[in-house]
Amino acid sequence: MPGALSHPRKDAASAGRVWRYIAYAGGEVLLIFVGITLAVAFENSNERRRIVALERDLLTTIESNLRANVRELSENIAWDESFVEAAETSLAQLRQGGEWPDSLNVVLGRALFWTSPFLSVSGYESLRQLGMHAVSDPDLRDALVHLHERTYTYLTGDMDRAQWAFQESVLFPLIAEELHAEVEDPPASPSEFARSYRPRDGSTGADGRLASALAEHRRRILDGSRLRRDAIAETEAVARTIRDFLEAG
């Protein structure tokens, strides 16, 4: 009988050891799972912080670029206004006819200039290389794309190329044909504009081609100034949006 009773005790003991082993192994698995989960969560948290920091750095650079662009476009407008004023004075004399006064030589030289915008886009180019998804706010992302891909691209591309095409195909040939450069060397600085012109025959010319070309040149400058003012307003709005986004974060 005692021998017969030992089998259930042995079986119970064996079963207990099995369950303890299972519990131990399960605990080990649980600890490993928790450890992996915490490691992944920590890594994700670090990655998220890295992405947020990168986004802030990019937007800070872009905001600085936009502030510089506002200054650049404002200076363009100021210069263009002086060129338009010179063009209007020169046009008045051309349309009046008669002897060309020496006092307008430098004025006519100024009337033939215009500005080309040089915009800062380094921050946006870095964003494009990284991927636009780096900006988490979709509205801000769309605003940046519109400003750079449409507004800035038109100012520095289509509009500037059209102005150069007009200068090279219309205005420059007339300058070579009808005007004499009084000062051949270029000015030491843009503010001097030492180059001056006068009609080759000493008069304002009879066929009116120069006046027509100068009037078209003036119109193009005015159109460019209006577009630059619109671009300034858009640039300032996007810069404010960036600043609000950074301060909210």
Side-chain angles (χ1 to χ4, degrees):
M1 291 296 290
L5 292 173
S6 66
H7 294 295
R9 286 197 297 269
K10 290 180 179 179
D11 292 342
S14 297
R17 285 195 297 271
V18 170
W19 282 111
R20 283 196 298 273
Y21 176 78
I22 292 174
Y24 175 79
E28 289 292 316
V29 171
L30 180 61
L31 286 174
I32 293 172
F33 175 78
V34 170
I36 293 174
T37 301
L38 290 176
V40 170
F42 182 75
E43 182 65 24
N44 289 341
S45 178
N46 284 341
E47 180 66 12
R48 177 58 185 164
R49 284 196 293 270
R50 188 189 70 81
I51 292 173
V52 170
L54 180 59
E55 177 186 36
R56 293 183 66 84
D57 288 344
L58 284 171
L59 290 176
T60 298
T61 301
I62 292 173
E63 182 192 14
S64 178
N65 290 163
L66 297 186
R67 301 297 182 191
N69 291 342
V70 169
R71 293 191 295 272
E72 168 72 8
L73 293 171
S74 298
E75 290 174 1
N76 289 167
I77 292 172
W79 279 115
D80 283 346
E81 286 175 346
S82 71
F83 302 151
V84 167
E85 181 180 355
E88 289 172 346
T89 301
S90 300
L91 278 170
Q93 181 62 40
L94 288 170
R95 289 164 176 165
Q96 174 183 319
E99 287 295 317
W100 181 263
D102 292 340
S103 60
L104 292 185
N105 289 356
V106 174
V107 174
L108 181 56
R110 291 181 66 88
L112 302 174
F113 279 88
W114 83 99
T115 60
S116 292
F118 295 94
L119 302 178
S120 301
V121 295
S122 60
Y124 182 75
E125 289 302 319
S126 296
L127 175 61
R128 284 186 60 190
Q129 292 177 11
L130 181 65
M132 297 304 298
H133 63 276
V135 175
S136 57
D137 187 306
D139 292 335
L140 176 54
R141 189 165 58 236
D142 290 345
L144 287 170
V145 170
H146 186 277
L147 177 64
H148 288 84
E149 303 294 343
R150 298 194 63 180
T151 302
Y152 285 177
T153 296
Y154 184 76
L155 284 179
T156 59
D158 294 350
M159 189 186 77
D160 203 46
R161 282 196 297 269
Q163 183 66 22
W164 270 107
F166 174 78
Q167 295 289 126
E168 293 174 346
S169 63
V170 178
L171 200 55
F172 288 164
L174 282 175
I175 291 172
E177 181 179 345
E178 298 197 10
L179 300 181
H180 173 69
E182 295 292 310
V183 180
E184 296 298 335
D185 294 329
S189 68
S191 61
E192 294 180 15
F193 282 97
R195 185 181 294 273
S196 63
Y197 293 90
R198 64 178 295 107
R200 288 188 180 278
D201 61 2
S203 68
T204 56
D207 60 11
R209 289 189 301 157
L210 181 60
S212 296
L214 194 57
E216 175 62 15
H217 175 64
R218 171 186 172 276
R219 183 194 67 78
R220 288 172 177 268
I221 293 177
L222 289 173
D223 287 346
S225 293
R226 283 191 288 270
L227 290 171
R228 286 184 173 96
R229 288 189 179 91
D230 292 341
I232 287 174
E234 183 179 355
T235 300
E236 290 176 333
V238 175
R240 284 194 301 270
T241 302
I242 293 174
R243 178 47 41 192
D244 291 343
F245 179 85
L246 293 175
E247 290 177 351

